[in-house]
Amino acid sequence: MDYKIIVIGTSAGGMDALKKILPLFPPAFPVPIVIVQHVSSLSNGFMIQYLNSISSIRVKEAEEKESLNASTVYFAPPNYHLLIEDDQTLSLSVEKKVNYARPSIDVLFDSAVYAYGKSIIGVVLTGANNDGAKGLANIKKAGGYTIVQSPETAYADSMPRTAIAESTPDLIIPLEEIGLVLRDIFMKKPNQFI
């Protein structure tokens, strides 16, 4: 399958999870990665700066009407939903919270399905609520590929457990394997999972 984007959702414990995933991607990584990490509305952007400093690909905060580029990670800004438009640009919204969150993982995942159809890989990582479960189920229903962090390796296991219950993901694996699997899918290495 020719996947064109990775969307990732995470909450409690997300920074520690992402710092084990993003540095594994090589500089020429061929698709964009869009992430919703639940953060405080007062977040100062330290996490993005830190992840950018340890990664070979660019890590940045998403901007309104920004075009998606390969080898780039886009994070939802604090207190904004992040959506992918039909023309594969990004948009920001201050619509009401979804699953008590803004940004919401479900909002990102659902918009990605409209923009990319089955050409998506959706990933749910550690988190202490149920955001992302419905969106991941919609990615799976559209024919995309779905990965969930195994709950036993999550800092907070509610999000992975809910995602597993609602969507029957294609792959449930430990955190340490997620970055390697994603890298190998796109760098055309043999992979035991797909």
Side-chain angles (χ1 to χ4, degrees), residues 67-90:
S67 295
L68 288 165
N69 293 306
S71 304
T72 307
V73 179
Y74 302 89
F75 272 89
N79 215 26
Y80 285 90
H81 292 307
L82 178 59
L83 298 93
I84 302 172
E85 299 292 341
D86 291 344
D87 62 358
Q88 297 170 358
T89 60
L90 297 171

Side-chain angles (χ1 to χ4, degrees), residues 32-87:
I33 301 163
V34 185
I35 298 176
V36 164
Q37 158 77 61
H38 293 158
V39 291
S40 160
S41 60
L42 304 175
S43 175
N44 63 6
F46 167 78
M47 181 180 69
I48 293 172
Q49 293 169 14
Y50 172 71
L51 291 170
N52 189 56
S53 74
I54 62 169
S55 301
S56 296
I57 57 177
R58 185 179 184 207
V59 180
K60 67 181 302 292
E61 188 173 276
E63 298 173 50
E64 177 72 19
K65 299 301 177 200
E66 185 172 13
S67 295
L68 288 165
N69 293 306
S71 304
T72 307
V73 179
Y74 302 89
F75 272 89
N79 215 26
Y80 285 90
H81 292 307
L82 178 59
L83 298 93
I84 302 172
E85 299 292 341
D86 291 344
D87 62 358

Side-chain angles (χ1 to χ4, degrees), residues 44 76 105 144 167 174 182:
N44 63 6
I105 300 163
S167 67
L182 292 171

